[in-house]
Amino acid sequence: HCGKNLLWIKRARETSKGLWTFPYGFLESGESLQAGDARELKEETGIEVEPARLVPYGIASLIVMNQVYLVFRYPSECEIAGCATLEVEDWGWFAEENAPWSDLAFPEAARQVRQTYNYLRAGAFPIHVGEVHSDGKYTRHYLMNNDLPVEE
C-alpha cells in the first residue's frame, strides 16, 4: 500500500480472467512465506520488494479447499510501477472511491477489502485470524494488536 491506495491487479488468466483482485499465489518448496509473497508479486506485476519488509496482515483457513491463506502488506513510500505479465493484463494503485468494485474477482471479499481501506485511513493494521466457509462467508476468530473498531 502507498498512502490511501492499494495495488490491484486485473487477471489475465482463468480463474477470474478480466476481473480485479490482489496479487496472490502459492509457496514453492523450500521457500519462506515472505520470499514466496515477494516472488508472486514480481511474477504477477514485475514489482520487486524486499521480503523482509513484508508485514503479516491476515491468516485464513479455507478448510473446504484444504488451504491456508497468509496475507502480507508492503508499506511503500510511493506507488511502485508495475507491468503487464502473462498472469496480469493490467494493474493500478486505487483509492477506495476509485477502485474497480464492479469488476471484483471475488465479490465475497469486498467487506474485507473495504476494512483494509479503513485501516489505511486509520494508519493501523491488526492481524486478522479467521476462517472462510464453503459459502464464501468469513468468520473472524480474533484480531491481534487491535484497538480499532471492526465492522461486523
Side-chain angles (χ1 to χ4, degrees):
H1 60 85
C2 177
K4 304 285 188 268
N5 298 336
L6 294 175
L7 176 66
W8 290 65
I9 59 169
K10 188 175 188 180
R11 304 270 312 148
R13 293 183 173 173
E14 296 300 343
T15 59
S16 306
K17 183 177 180 176
L19 299 176
W20 291 87
T21 186
F22 301 94
Y24 67 91
F26 296 94
L27 284 178
E28 294 180 357
S29 181
E31 205 170 40
S32 73
L33 298 174
Q34 291 90 338
D37 197 57
R39 176 189 48 75
E40 284 290 345
L41 182 63
K42 183 177 179 182
E43 285 177 5
E44 294 183 357
T45 66
I47 295 174
E48 292 188 54
V49 298
E50 297 172 45
R53 289 198 53 218
L54 289 162
V55 180
Y57 177 61
I59 304 166
S61 298
L62 282 82
I63 296 169
V64 72
M65 296 175 65
N66 296 316
Q67 295 179 357
V68 174
Y69 284 12
L70 301 166
V71 181
F72 290 88
R73 62 185 185 85
Y74 186 85
S76 178
E77 299 294 321
C78 62
E79 294 179 359
I80 304 168
C83 63
T85 65
L86 292 174
E87 298 181 35
V88 172
E89 68 180 66
D90 199 4
W91 60 275
W93 292 88
F94 293 97
E96 183 175 14
E97 62 274 10
N98 300 324
W101 296 106
S102 62
D103 293 324
L104 191 59
F106 307 103
E108 62 275 9
R111 193 171 118 228
Q112 287 84 12
V113 176
R114 289 194 186 278
Q115 185 66 63
T116 301
Y117 279 110
N118 288 339
Y119 294 143
L120 279 173
R121 283 190 291 279
F125 295 88
I127 298 174
H128 291 249
V129 179
E131 179 179 330
V132 179
H133 303 278
S134 58
D135 61 3
K137 292 186 180 176
Y138 179 76
T139 299
R140 184 184 59 254
H141 296 295
Y142 59 90
L143 299 172
M144 296 165 39
N145 302 322
N146 183 40
D147 57 355
L148 297 172
V150 176
E151 293 178 6
E152 294 296 332

